[in-house]
Amino acid sequence: MVEDMLHDNLVAMFHRRVQQDGPQKAVHYRAGEKWVTATWNELAAAAYRTAAVLVELGVKPGDRVIQVSENRYEWIVFDIAVHMAQAIHVAVHATLTCPQIAIQPRVSGAKLVVISTPEQAQKLAAAAAQLLASTEGVFTETAGGVTIGVLAKL
């Protein structure tokens, strides 16, 4: 069993879990004031849609993609989607300051920066020129991890 896992990757393990437990509960998260449950099938559908958007935006295997996000359901969806697109997920802590975040595309070689909330976008507004000089675009997530809206693109 351990030998089989050595040749596995996260996407294969996730796909297998979805096949095994599709309609079962996968994650509970807060949406506003209420708790929501997503099944493995729902989580997979959101991740596949998000991966398709990443590929449509030009993300290629091996590209680095930065995500500035708090701990939230969309973080999980985006992480899985980046792996599905065969890219490299560069997770940046949402609590970092604007200058600390602005340097990340240059030092990581990221092609894309994805920001979780309007508050994060506002925090990074002062560094927009620096971010855009280092990447092909800066985007923002929407609820459910399904759509990535353009904040700015070269």
Side-chain angles (χ1 to χ4, degrees), residues 18-141:
V18 171
Q19 294 298 311
Q20 289 175 307
D21 297 325
Q24 302 300 317
K25 297 173 184 176
V27 65
H28 301 282
Y29 62 97
R30 284 192 65 95
E33 294 299 314
K34 65 180 193 170
W35 285 94
V36 178
T37 300
T39 66
W40 287 100
N41 286 334
E42 292 165 336
L43 179 58
Y48 288 130
R49 286 191 302 267
T50 304
V53 170
L54 290 171
V55 170
E56 187 177 306
L57 289 170
V59 172
K60 295 178 178 43
D63 284 348
R64 287 168 176 78
V65 179
I66 289 177
Q67 180 186 25
V68 181
S69 179
E70 303 74 16
N71 243 356
R72 54 194 261 158
Y73 174 70
E74 292 82 7
W75 193 101
I76 298 167
V77 171
F78 192 80
D79 181 56
I80 296 166
V82 169
H83 290 291
M84 287 177 170
Q86 298 179 2
I88 299 165
H89 186 195
V90 180
V92 173
H93 293 281
T95 57
L96 293 178
T97 66
C98 178
Q100 291 171 316
I101 294 171
I103 197 170
Q104 297 301 318
R106 185 171 49 79
V107 298
S108 71
K111 177 177 185 171
L112 191 68
V113 177
V114 176
I115 302 166
S116 61
T117 62
E119 292 78 20
Q120 289 294 340
Q122 184 177 2
K123 177 171 83 174
L124 295 175
Q130 183 179 352
L131 286 169
L132 289 171
S134 304
T135 65
E136 292 187 14
V138 179
F139 301 84
T140 185
E141 299 173 1

